[in-house]
Amino acid sequence: MNNTNIENDLKKDGITIVKPVDTLTITLIAKFVAEKLTTTFIFYGLKQNDLFVRIARVPMYIAKIPDGMSEANYLYKNSSIYFKEGLSIEEMQVYAVHEFIHYYQELKDKKNVLYRLGLCDFTNFKVYGMALNEAAVQLISSKALKSKVDIVKYYGILMPTISPNCYPIICNLITQMAYITGEQVLFDSTLYSNDNFKNSFINLCGEKTFYIVQNNFDKILNVEEKIIKINYILQENNNLSEKLISKYSHKILKYKNIIQNTFITTQNLILTSYFNTKFNNVYSATEVEEYRKKLYNYKDIIGTTDDYSYFNNYYINMMTKLSEKLDNINSNIYLQPYKVNIFSTVVNKLLKLVNNGTEQIGTKMS
């Protein structure tokens, strides 16, 4: 693709190139990103010197980027990174972590045509997994930057996220998926563009669930982009009529409700698909306790709305079933002493959850 076509693609998103990033800044960015990734992900075959060289060769540009869009953007069509004009070198270093992971993910054929980008598949007529991949990449970059989990509120959803300012909604959901599969398989598939994470999640939650979740990630990201575009129109046009402003405001409200509903639906689907399946594979008192702990701790990573009670209701229902299953397991007299301890633990935790509700620590309003 020639430079004119690239510039036209960028302009469609409101991005205009200002100038290339200077060599010294690129060197500082490459050193920073290589160090962060290799020291954090020491078990993934990343070598600092090799990464430094690869990052230093990535074309980088300063550009005018509309408010609301990411401060840095990777364009896979020419494998280049675009930084928002006015960023400091330190800010560019931080944003470059996410964008370089995209570059690292790329799998191209002999004709230099991209066919895979982490969890995103370009081999079909429609691109699948774009938002899922964005969430995974942001999770990896947040880990590399040693970001702390924060409690934020977006679209009426109160949730913990390691990325409060970039893809917080889908980052929370990908964290829930990784809680089920384990982070290692997610990071491996994201960095090396394979299906290990997909297959692991399907094995634990079902194929239908995976594809619904994947589509819902894309839906959330697409609707968020619509909100960004409307806000851009409102910012750039000072002479809009009150009627048109009201129309746009109504659309934004509608889109926010879609995001909230899609998030809750997706969260509940992940929760029930995994724990319903896992419940059927509990056969011992030890497995009962492991199940209880994993379900109980799930409360710490979910998002909630003012009227959200699904998790609490589901937890109470599953604890009742678990108690019945434990009684059946403990029909063997040799397990009787263990039964008393487990049942006591279950009751205490259940009462605490019912009385106190889902724990929420701090609130950051957006």
Side-chain angles (χ1 to χ4, degrees):
M1 182 173 286
N2 60 44
N3 291 334
T4 301
N5 288 337
I6 293 296
E7 290 183 6
N8 288 337
D9 282 348
L10 292 170
K11 286 180 180 179
K12 288 178 182 178
D13 293 323
I15 299 174
T16 305
I17 298 173
V18 175
K19 62 181 180 180
V21 177
D22 63 86
T23 303
L24 176 59
T25 300
I26 290 177
T27 300
L28 293 174
I29 289 173
K31 183 176 182 298
F32 177 87
V33 176
E35 180 182 353
K36 292 297 182 184
L37 289 175
T38 53
T39 55
T40 303
F41 302 99
I42 58 177
F43 302 113
Y44 293 87
L46 304 176
K47 297 180 180 179
Q48 189 166 334
N49 289 338
D50 293 343
L51 280 187
F52 173 82
V53 173
R54 290 187 65 176
I55 299 165
R57 291 175 177 171
V58 177
M60 303 183 193
Y61 300 91
I62 304 297
K64 295 183 183 296
I65 299 176
D67 292 338
M69 288 186 65
S70 299
E71 278 72 11
N73 292 270
Y74 178 76
L75 185 63
Y76 68 84
K77 291 180 180 179
N78 65 346
S79 300
S80 300
I81 298 174
Y82 299 85
F83 295 100
K84 188 172 184 176
E85 187 179 31
L87 295 178
S88 66
I89 292 178
E90 291 77 14
E91 289 172 324
M92 292 170 70
Q93 287 174 323
V94 169
Y95 291 124
V97 176
H98 179 108
E99 306 310 324
F100 173 72
I101 293 172
H102 281 315
Y103 177 83
Y104 188 83
Q105 295 178 308
E106 284 189 341
L107 292 182
K108 295 183 177 181
D109 61 20
K110 294 179 180 180
K111 295 181 180 180
N112 205 37
V113 175
L114 181 71
Y115 65 89
R116 184 73 183 250
L117 192 70
L119 307 180
C120 184
D121 185 0
F122 288 79
T123 57
N124 297 302
F125 179 75
K126 179 182 177 181
V127 176
Y128 291 97
M130 182 68 80
L132 196 66
N133 187 61
E134 282 294 343
V137 169
Q138 184 56 30
L139 183 61
I140 289 176
S141 60
S142 296
K143 294 278 185 180
L145 294 166
K146 304 294 188 295
S147 301
K148 303 296 183 182
V149 174
D150 195 5
I151 306 297
V152 298
K153 194 170 188 179
Y154 287 103
Y155 311 116
I157 308 165
L158 186 71
M159 71 196 127
T161 179
I162 197 172
S163 180
N165 300 313
C166 183
Y167 301 128
I169 301 287
I170 56 177
C171 267
N172 173 273
L173 289 174
I174 199 73
T175 299
Q176 294 187 41
M177 297 176 77
Y179 180 81
I180 290 168
T181 63
E183 288 185 341
Q184 184 173 348
V185 67
L186 172 63
F187 295 162
D188 177 74
S189 288
T190 304
L191 291 171
Y192 294 105
S193 299
N194 61 58
D195 285 332
N196 294 340
F197 169 72
K198 173 183 175 180
N199 293 336
S200 176
F201 188 84
I202 287 175
N203 182 56
L204 294 167
C205 300
E207 185 174 27
K208 182 179 179 181
T209 295
F210 175 80
Y211 287 112
I212 292 174
V213 169
Q214 178 179 260
N215 290 337
N216 284 352
F217 268 70
D218 287 333
K219 182 178 181 179
I220 289 170
L221 197 58
N222 289 337
V223 174
E224 284 192 306
E225 288 174 354
K226 289 180 179 180
I227 293 175
I228 290 171
K229 288 179 181 179
I230 291 177
N231 283 330
Y232 178 69
I233 292 173
L234 293 174
Q235 291 170 6
E236 295 298 312
N237 296 276
N238 297 323
N239 299 320
L240 294 176
S241 66
E242 290 185 7
K243 183 178 180 180
L244 195 55
I245 292 174
S246 177
K247 179 181 177 181
Y248 281 134
S249 297
H250 179 74
K251 278 189 174 182
I252 290 175
L253 181 60
K254 175 186 174 183
Y255 289 148
K256 287 182 176 181
N257 288 333
I258 290 173
I259 291 172
Q260 182 185 114
N261 292 334
T262 305
F263 173 89
I264 294 298
T265 298
T266 307
Q267 173 176 271
N268 292 347
L269 179 61
I270 295 171
L271 170 72
T272 55
S273 296
Y274 174 67
F275 284 102
N276 286 353
T277 301
K278 187 173 178 62
F279 180 83
N280 294 329
N281 295 311
V282 171
Y283 300 109
S284 69
T286 300
E287 290 172 343
V288 166
E289 178 62 4
E290 290 173 352
Y291 179 98
R292 185 199 63 78
K293 285 182 178 179
K294 190 153 191 175
L295 177 56
Y296 180 75
N297 290 333
Y298 202 86
K299 76 185 189 315
D300 296 326
I301 60 173
I302 64 172
T304 60
T305 58
D306 290 340
D307 59 350
Y308 183 76
S309 60
Y310 190 91
F311 178 83
N312 282 2
N313 295 335
Y314 181 79
Y315 181 85
I316 291 171
N317 181 50
M318 296 312 291
M319 287 303 100
T320 301
K321 292 183 177 181
L322 207 62
S323 178
E324 293 171 356
K325 176 165 284 197
L326 186 61
D327 287 338
N328 292 331
I329 292 171
N330 285 332
S331 61
N332 186 328
I333 191 170
Y334 296 109
L335 293 179
Q336 191 66 29
Y338 193 70
K339 173 185 177 182
V340 176
N341 292 335
I342 293 295
F343 185 75
S344 176
T345 302
V346 170
V347 171
N348 289 337
K349 294 293 185 179
L350 180 57
L351 289 175
K352 181 179 179 182
L353 184 67
V354 173
N355 291 333
N356 298 331
T358 302
E359 293 183 5
Q360 298 175 347
I361 306 173
T363 302
K364 179 179 177 182
M365 299 298 294
S366 172

